[in-house]
Amino acid sequence: MIIKFETSKELTKYISGKKIKLLNKVTEGTCYLGNDSKVYKILGLDSFYNGNYNPYEVITEDIIKLNSFAFPQELFVVGDKLVGYNSTYIPNDKLKTENLNIVTVAKMDYDKFSNAYKVMKKDVETLSKKNILMFDLPFNIIYDGNRLFGIDTCGYKKVDYDPAKNNISFYNFAIETIFRLCYNDFDDPDLTFTDSDIDSYLKKVENKLPNRAKLYRENIIRRRK
């Protein structure tokens, strides 16, 4: 759904009526949480999205609704320019970029993460069948401890070819990026995720743990049993 505003002030007034609180502010824009459990994102002046997307071509929940993706519900337009949108709020991100480190790898429940990967992969496959090409998933993927979710999806678009290969590659690269950030290692080929055998990949991720972290992980696993 597109909501048009004559001026940015009108949009600000509309957003303020949602009794919002600030979630974060980055170059791409500012995110607020509304009392309707939606995220409201107002695009920054330097945002890649700002002026680069036709709001009538943006994939929204009116077009496709999947549990693993927070597609925009309402698009905010001033003139003919996309200046913001809202989408479902996904709380409790366990893999915030600023918190990723070796302890993250040591503490992770790999069975849960593997299941989460497989569930989201089915939705990635559904996107491909609808000829929707994904975009910019690394840094825009959330894990709440049980499920994986894609956010900030304004760059997704309809294409006239089968995007399945590209989409799986984007998805796997987003997973790979999580663990490269955990290890702060962007060169080790063992951290490259090029196929969809998530369990084998997670085993390689675990094997890279230093000995002290492996002992820490063994203690965590014993307590879980």
Side-chain angles (χ1 to χ4, degrees):
M1 176 190 296
I2 292 178
I3 301 180
K4 292 186 176 182
F5 299 90
E6 293 296 323
T7 65
S8 296
K9 286 185 177 179
E10 285 186 8
L11 172 60
T12 300
K13 184 177 180 181
Y14 175 80
I15 298 295
S16 298
K18 302 298 179 179
K19 296 181 180 178
I20 54 181
K21 70 175 183 179
L22 179 67
L23 288 175
N24 59 59
K25 187 173 184 179
V26 294
T27 303
E28 283 295 308
T30 304
C31 292
Y32 304 93
L33 176 62
N35 59 356
D36 52 4
S37 298
K38 295 179 183 178
V39 173
Y40 289 78
K41 182 167 185 177
I42 306 304
L43 303 180
L45 293 176
D46 297 325
S47 169
F48 180 74
Y49 294 138
N50 201 328
N52 281 289
Y53 287 100
N54 180 343
Y56 295 95
E57 296 177 354
V58 172
I59 306 296
T60 65
E61 277 197 358
D62 292 336
I63 296 171
I64 186 168
K65 188 170 183 177
L66 296 169
N67 290 333
S68 300
F69 291 91
F71 287 106
Q73 296 175 356
E74 297 173 333
L75 301 174
F76 307 135
V77 174
V78 175
D80 60 354
K81 191 174 182 180
L82 178 67
V83 296
Y85 62 89
N86 66 17
S87 62
T88 300
Y89 175 57
I90 301 167
N92 304 320
D93 184 12
K94 306 294 185 185
L95 298 176
K96 289 183 179 179
T97 300
E98 60 270 24
N99 298 332
L100 296 179
N101 51 45
I102 289 176
V103 175
T104 307
V105 180
K107 292 172 64 176
M108 180 175 285
D109 186 323
Y110 291 136
D111 288 337
K112 281 188 175 182
F113 192 87
S114 173
N115 288 335
Y117 171 87
K118 293 168 185 174
V119 169
M120 187 173 179
K121 184 184 175 188
K122 290 180 180 179
D123 280 349
V124 171
E125 291 168 348
T126 298
L127 285 179
S128 300
K129 291 174 182 176
K130 298 285 186 180
N131 288 94
I132 295 173
L133 178 67
M134 295 162 56
F135 176 79
D136 197 26
L137 190 59
F139 303 102
N140 287 313
I141 192 166
I142 287 176
Y143 178 58
D144 68 0
N146 292 293
R147 293 285 305 273
L148 284 160
F149 304 91
I151 62 171
D152 250 357
T153 64
C154 277
Y156 292 29
K157 62 181 180 181
K158 280 271 193 179
V159 293
D160 58 3
Y161 57 88
D162 182 359
K165 185 176 180 179
N166 287 330
N167 282 346
I168 289 297
S169 178
F170 292 154
Y171 182 35
N172 288 346
F173 182 63
I175 299 301
E176 175 185 325
T177 300
I178 291 170
F179 293 106
R180 288 198 179 278
L181 287 169
C182 286
Y183 281 111
N184 193 27
D185 186 337
F186 296 89
D187 298 314
D188 188 345
D190 282 342
L191 290 177
T192 302
F193 187 20
T194 56
D195 57 41
S196 296
D197 185 359
I198 185 64
D199 297 306
S200 295
Y201 178 70
L202 292 176
K203 193 64 181 174
K204 289 194 294 184
V205 168
E206 182 181 16
N207 288 339
K208 187 176 170 64
L209 283 169
N211 289 335
R212 182 174 292 184
K214 286 180 180 178
L215 290 173
Y216 175 62
R217 175 164 178 75
E218 288 170 3
N219 288 331
I220 290 174
I221 291 173
R222 278 197 294 269
R223 287 199 298 268
R224 284 177 182 158
K225 292 180 178 179

